[in-house]
Amino acid sequence: MSVEPLSTQIHNIGYRHYDGPRLGRSYARRSLFSQSLRGAYGLGRSAKSKVLPMLLFVVMCVPALIMVAVAVATKAKDLPLDYTRYAIVLQAVIGLYVASQAPQAVSRDLRFKTVPLYFSRPIERVDYVAAKYAAMASALFILTAAPLIVLYVGALLAKLDFTEQTKGFGQGLVSVLLLSLLFAGIGLVVSAVTPRRGFGIAAVIAVLTISYGAVSTVQAIAEAQDNGGAVSWLGLFSPITLIDGVQTAFLGATSAFPGVHGPSAGQGVVYLLVVLGLIAGSYGLLMRRYRKVGL
């Protein structure tokens, strides 16, 4: 019995060169920013991923809607809560949002070792860090500015003083912009330390929320012992009290510190320098962290 040899044929299909437009680093950076910002609200992800960020967004806006309804119904002469105070009162919601979304933004890339894939494209570490930082800060700004817009529109509908409301609204926007930059930087730095999302969530909650509770408690003790001078300086040790101190000193806000011991103008300069230093330091630490991520 003879066996005929199998015939083989090689098809040389060759390689086709890409002749389309090369969009470069700026396009890649914008795409990463857009994808990260959408991901911060669960857009483009599973339905389960949308529940928590959207729920927190609603929780942030509902009190503003209630305040507007009360102001319109009662024909009040002012809003129940100042624009600059809104984020301070709802700081727990903001902290929970950062804790849930900052690890999602960076921890998964580290855990599944996809960061080197980003760097294999025309994108560098500075692009990655800048896009992630900008996306997280923008997501936070949307979260914190949306209820202020609701308050402002409601105030105008209630025919409150236009000049006063516009000034307060502008001060509130400056405040939440600083808060967004600060919280985004801290949240991303803490989250980038570990590829484990659960550890990142716990660490962010500890840094943002627990620190506020600890500082507030120590401030209350200092106030009870008639040590008012220490109350203002203690505010330097928590992110939310830092923002409180800056807006009290420069944005005409009423301090949430115990007693009447809000920071003076001189202390406010220290608060502002610490906030700006933390923002710049967070960016620098992120750059350092991603220099250690191998290609």
Side-chain angles (χ1 to χ4, degrees):
M1 180 178 178
S2 62
V3 178
E4 295 182 0
L6 296 175
S7 61
T8 60
Q9 186 176 2
I10 298 175
H11 297 276
N12 181 14
I13 60 175
Y15 293 96
R16 297 184 63 183
H17 295 285
Y18 176 72
D19 297 323
R22 298 185 180 276
L23 302 175
R25 285 177 58 189
S26 61
Y27 178 80
R29 186 168 54 243
R30 289 195 304 270
S31 298
L32 181 57
F33 166 79
S34 175
Q35 180 266 336
S36 301
L37 178 57
R38 285 167 52 83
Y41 285 95
L43 302 178
R45 299 167 60 200
S46 65
K48 183 176 67 175
S49 301
K50 297 178 177 65
V51 174
L52 184 57
M54 292 300 183
L55 178 61
L56 293 175
F57 182 83
V58 171
V59 171
M60 282 292 294
C61 292
V62 165
L65 289 170
I66 294 174
M67 292 178 195
V68 166
V70 170
V72 172
T74 61
K75 297 182 179 180
K77 297 185 180 299
D78 205 352
L79 292 172
L81 191 66
D82 292 339
Y83 295 97
T84 50
R85 288 278 294 146
Y86 196 90
I88 304 297
V89 173
L90 292 174
Q91 56 84 25
V93 180
I94 300 170
L96 184 57
Y97 179 85
V98 178
S100 64
Q101 299 309 310
Q104 182 274 138
V106 294
S107 296
R108 292 192 308 167
D109 289 345
L110 294 170
R111 182 178 181 182
F112 297 110
K113 302 184 186 303
T114 57
V115 175
L117 296 179
Y118 286 108
F119 298 154
S120 68
R121 297 295 181 182
I123 187 173
E124 298 183 2
R125 288 170 176 79
V126 64
D127 301 312
Y128 182 88
V129 172
K132 289 291 185 178
Y133 199 145
M136 193 69 239
S138 298
L140 273 170
F141 185 71
I142 292 171
L143 181 77
T144 53
L148 300 188
I149 295 173
V150 172
L151 286 176
Y152 182 63
V153 172
L156 298 184
L157 291 175
K159 298 181 179 180
L160 301 181
D161 184 75
F162 175 80
T163 302
E164 182 180 349
Q165 296 303 317
T166 301
K167 178 182 178 182
F169 177 60
Q171 291 171 335
L173 288 181
V174 173
S175 175
V176 297
L177 176 61
L178 276 176
L179 183 147
S180 299
L181 290 169
L182 178 61
F183 275 43
I186 293 174
L188 290 176
V189 166
V190 174
S191 300
V193 171
T194 174
R196 298 290 182 179
R197 185 182 178 191
F199 293 161
I201 292 173
V204 173
I205 290 176
V207 172
L208 296 182
T209 304
I210 296 178
S211 66
Y212 174 71
V215 168
S216 297
T217 300
V218 176
Q219 283 180 323
I221 294 173
E223 174 65 19
Q225 295 179 347
D226 294 327
N227 191 5
V231 172
S232 296
W233 294 113
L234 288 169
L236 293 170
F237 297 97
S238 164
I240 195 66
T241 53
L242 276 170
I243 298 299
D244 190 348
V246 170
Q247 66 181 20
T248 299
F250 300 112
L251 299 176
T254 302
S255 177
F257 291 177
V260 291
H261 302 291
S264 63
Q267 291 172 325
V269 173
V270 177
Y271 271 72
L272 181 60
L273 290 176
V274 172
V275 169
L276 296 178
L278 285 173
I279 293 172
S282 296
Y283 184 84
L285 287 173
L286 285 171
M287 286 295 297
R288 181 178 180 182
R289 173 71 177 100
Y290 284 97
R291 286 194 187 99
K292 297 181 179 180
V293 179
L295 295 176

